[in-house]
Amino acid sequence: MSSISIRQITDNAGIKDFINVTREVYKDDPNWIQPLTMERMDALRPDKNPYYEHAEVALWVAEQGGKLVGRVSTQIDSLAQEKWGPNLGHFGFFEATTKEVADALLTNAQAWLTERGMKRMQGPWSFSTAEEVGTLIDGFDTPPCVMMPHGRPEYDAWIKAHGLDKAKDMHAFRLDLTMPPPERAVRIVKMAEKNKRVTMRPIDMKNFNAEVATILDIYNEAWSENWGYVPFTEHEVEHGAKGLKPVVKPYRTYICEYDGEPVAFMLTIPDVNHKIRDLDGKLFPFGIFKLMYRMMNGREDRCRVPLMGVRKKFQKGPLGAAMAMWMIRVSQQNVVDRGATFGELGWILEDNDGMISILEEIGCEIYKTYRVYEKAIG
């Protein structure tokens, strides 16, 4: 067996190699969906992704026998350190074809972080809570939804073999959108509908930037104590809003107000992964026309709720749960009218009992679990 070499990525050609590692890793996995190269390039280039403004990042690929056999990122995020303590370093985008490749990549990642004075190594964060988090440890029998990671069944053992232990699990829930909601959930929703101090409205696309600012304000408060949370910067908000605007629709994006004050929101997007599955990551020469047609004329048969938030003062009370269920219920009705049958909600932290209770109440079930690991280093 030829030796494994680790190469740091320094240019756009190298970033393409970094992206293409998954072609070898998942070549026999029928559930893998190769992401669009153009989109991944934007996520990984320092001049495109504002994450780089507050983080030092290095990208690495592993090669063996003339093939790309693995990859990993290493990053030191100053905002994460402000929130979760100094000397915290992250790794992400972890992929490997064998245990030996995995060990070589994680050894390299640990060395890079240690050289920079880090005492804790945590990941995978690819790159942050706003992007893909963790590696899949359960639910390999279905493809990943948009903005969610995949993984190989061996990864959990390979990462643990390097001395990393579980830091936190998070779940993705699925919902059969064609099934009627449980009676108790209907009664809870009616409680919110009858409360004259509560109103729910769709996002105003004519004032999109202001609406995004409102959603961000709720999100930052609602998530501020959640494990792993790092606040969005202004540039990250602008970047995210620009990327999401083409898929945000008023009939599945809602804001709840209490006495006229915005206190909760929910964003639902189509599962774009389902629409690019046969494109092999390529938009040109013909993929872009297929995708445009599918987005404009196809049914929204699969949807995902990537973001939801309720202000803290309502989180532990029945009204907060009722508002969340109300937004989910109305969005569900609207996407079902447009052909949707499947919904994913998540990710949700394993110890977020309140949100888990709400989702189970409306008929959701856990169908995927992801894990973030940590170890002391240095």
Side-chain angles (χ1 to χ4, degrees):
M1 180 67 69
S2 58
S3 62
I4 299 166
S5 62
I6 308 295
R7 169 168 58 96
Q8 184 173 357
I9 298 307
T10 59
D11 55 21
N12 287 343
I15 293 177
K16 288 183 179 179
D17 285 344
F18 190 87
I19 294 167
N20 285 330
V21 164
T22 51
R23 297 183 185 279
E24 179 67 21
V25 171
Y26 296 112
K27 63 182 180 181
D28 298 319
D29 186 342
N31 289 307
W32 171 245
I33 298 174
Q34 184 68 20
L36 294 175
T37 299
M38 180 180 293
E39 185 275 329
R40 289 290 80 193
M41 288 290 292
D42 282 355
L44 292 164
R45 284 174 51 179
D47 60 332
K48 294 289 187 178
N49 188 343
Y51 173 81
Y52 282 83
E53 294 174 3
H54 54 86
E56 180 183 2
V57 179
L59 305 179
W60 313 84
V61 294
E63 296 171 303
Q64 186 176 35
K67 292 183 178 181
L68 295 165
V69 292
R71 72 182 188 191
V72 74
S73 68
T74 48
Q75 59 259 21
I76 300 171
D77 182 352
S78 62
L79 295 183
Q81 291 188 336
E82 287 177 16
K83 180 69 178 177
W84 300 105
N87 304 319
L88 171 64
H90 291 154
F91 71 96
F93 296 95
F94 172 79
E95 304 285 0
T97 55
T98 66
K99 181 181 181 298
E100 291 70 28
V101 172
D103 192 59
L105 287 166
L106 293 171
T107 297
N108 181 82
Q110 181 173 331
W112 187 90
L113 293 171
T114 301
E115 288 169 3
R116 286 154 180 79
M118 299 302 102
K119 304 296 184 184
R120 287 188 294 152
M121 173 177 170
Q122 192 183 83
W125 296 94
S126 308
F127 287 113
S128 69
T129 53
E131 299 168 270
E132 295 182 4
V133 178
T135 190
L136 186 68
I137 63 165
D138 186 58
F140 300 96
D141 57 336
T142 53
C145 279
V146 62
M147 299 172 65
M148 295 295 273
H150 196 49
R152 290 175 54 152
E154 304 94 341
Y155 283 178
D156 185 51
W158 292 352
I159 293 172
K160 287 177 177 176
H162 193 75
L164 288 120
D165 296 318
K166 169 189 166 181
K168 189 75 70 173
D169 283 353
M170 51 275 297
H171 303 302
F173 288 74
R174 64 182 171 194
L175 178 63
D176 182 348
L177 299 176
T178 65
M179 295 294 291
E183 282 300 317
R184 187 169 186 274
V186 172
R187 291 196 300 270
I188 294 173
V189 169
K190 286 182 178 178
M191 182 184 79
E193 292 176 324
K194 291 178 179 178
N195 191 319
K196 294 182 179 180
R197 303 181 72 177
V198 178
T199 56
M200 185 178 71
R201 62 175 179 82
I203 189 173
D204 181 1
M205 296 300 291
K206 293 181 179 178
N207 295 294
F208 184 75
N209 291 338
E211 294 284 69
V212 169
T214 295
I215 288 172
L216 173 68
D217 185 58
I218 299 171
Y219 171 85
N220 277 336
E221 182 192 323
W223 282 61
S224 61
E225 301 305 318
N226 278 8
W227 182 87
Y229 162 84
V230 175
F232 288 124
T233 67
E234 182 177 346
H235 284 171
E236 285 173 323
V237 173
E238 294 172 355
H239 180 76
K242 183 179 179 181
L244 284 173
K245 190 172 184 179
V247 296
V248 171
K249 301 295 180 184
Y251 60 82
R252 46 177 162 74
T253 307
Y254 289 95
I255 296 173
C256 277
E257 297 179 345
Y258 185 82
D259 289 341
E261 175 197 358
V263 296
F265 78 94
M266 187 183 78
L267 168 67
T268 304
I269 60 175
D271 179 16
V272 179
N273 273 10
H274 190 58
K275 299 180 183 297
I276 67 169
R277 190 166 187 173
D278 62 339
L279 301 186
D280 193 32
K282 302 168 187 173
L283 277 180
F284 301 101
F286 305 114
I288 189 169
F289 300 109
K290 292 180 180 179
L291 180 58
M292 288 175 61
Y293 177 82
R294 292 166 184 173
M295 293 297 295
M296 296 175 65
N297 301 297
R299 298 187 310 161
E300 292 188 359
D301 46 353
R302 292 172 56 92
C303 297
R304 177 174 176 242
V305 178
L307 287 177
M308 175 185 285
V310 179
R311 291 200 186 275
K312 287 181 181 178
K313 62 183 177 182
F314 294 101
Q315 285 180 1
K316 297 186 183 300
L319 187 55
M323 286 188 289
M325 289 187 186
W326 190 12
M327 291 185 291
I328 293 171
R329 177 58 182 155
V330 173
S331 181
Q332 177 182 350
Q333 290 174 326
N334 289 338
V335 296
V336 166
D337 289 343
R338 291 164 172 82
T341 59
F342 172 90
E344 180 183 284
L345 297 93
W347 46 266
I348 309 297
L349 290 169
E350 63 178 334
D351 51 6
N352 188 344
D353 296 332
M355 195 67 227
I356 290 174
S357 177
I358 289 171
L359 296 182
E360 291 177 343
E361 195 77 62
I362 64 173
C364 294
E365 63 177 1
I366 295 171
Y367 86 116
K368 289 181 182 288
T369 299
Y370 308 87
R371 179 164 292 169
V372 174
Y373 305 80
E374 184 172 345
K375 71 178 291 189
I377 60 174

